[in-house]
């Protein structure tokens, strides 16, 4: 099994590149028992999560990661906390955000997103 910090870095890089290119293609990263909390609204299951991410009110988005912290967790999981800034559409001022992921092993040598919490940071 790879080093948890390496996995976390690779995951975050892949996740945001995929999110910025085509959010619908994030579906394979979630499972039916996954949960997303996006700005205090919780959605369970891959279908609902992808629908929520796809329906966000912007066309273009670019994430810029500022910090990434990771810890190993129970049963081979990885807890990841990301802070950063994102630009949407033609907006010139980036919005700060924090996002936490709980990755769990999928039994096939990879990981899936079990928990995903996203919050814009104002102020």
């Amino acid at each position: 099994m790879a080093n948890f910090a390496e996995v976390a870095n690779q995951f975050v890089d892949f996740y945001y590149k995929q999110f910025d290119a085509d959010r619908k293609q994030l579906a394979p990263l979630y499972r039916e028992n996954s949960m997303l909390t996006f700005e205090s609204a919780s959605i369970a299951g891959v279908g609902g999560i992808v629908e929520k991410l796809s329906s966000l009110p912007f066309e273009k988005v670019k994430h810029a990661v500022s910090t990434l912290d990771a810890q190993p967790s129970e049963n081979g999981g990885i807890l990841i906390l990301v802070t950063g800034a994102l630009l949407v559409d033609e907006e010139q001022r980036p919005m700060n955000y924090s996002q936490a992921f709980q990755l769990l092993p999928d039994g096939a040598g990879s990981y899936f997103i079990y928990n995903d919490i996203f919050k814009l940071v104002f102020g």
Side-chain angles (χ1 to χ4, degrees):
M1 185 73 51
N3 174 296
F4 73 90
E6 291 172 20
V7 172
N9 279 295
Q10 291 170 4
F11 165 78
V12 167
D13 184 56
F14 177 81
Y15 180 88
Y16 289 126
K17 282 181 181 171
Q18 190 64 62
F19 190 106
D20 295 352
D22 183 0
R23 298 186 290 276
K24 291 181 178 117
Q25 300 305 314
L26 292 170
L29 298 178
Y30 295 94
R31 299 293 183 272
E32 284 310 312
N33 60 343
S34 298
M35 179 170 273
L36 165 69
T37 301
F38 189 91
E39 289 296 312
S40 301
S42 295
I43 302 103
V46 65
I49 291 170
V50 172
E51 183 178 321
K52 174 63 177 177
L53 295 177
S54 300
S55 69
L56 294 173
F58 48 80
E59 293 296 317
K60 295 187 298 186
V61 62
K62 176 69 178 132
H63 290 82
V65 172
S66 299
T67 67
L68 186 162
D69 294 295
Q71 294 181 352
S73 65
E74 243 352 84
N75 301 317
I78 303 172
L79 179 64
I80 303 169
L81 178 62
V82 179
T83 64
L86 56 98
L87 279 171
V88 296
D89 294 330
E90 304 306 318
E91 180 64 44
Q92 296 300 309
R93 290 172 299 169
M95 295 181 284
N96 293 323
Y97 73 93
S98 63
Q99 190 162 13
F101 298 99
Q102 172 74 26
L103 305 183
L104 293 180
D106 67 1
S110 193
Y111 293 86
F112 71 95
I113 301 169
Y114 184 65
N115 300 105
D116 179 354
I117 303 173
F118 177 90
K119 198 75 145 165
L120 289 171
V121 179
F122 298 101

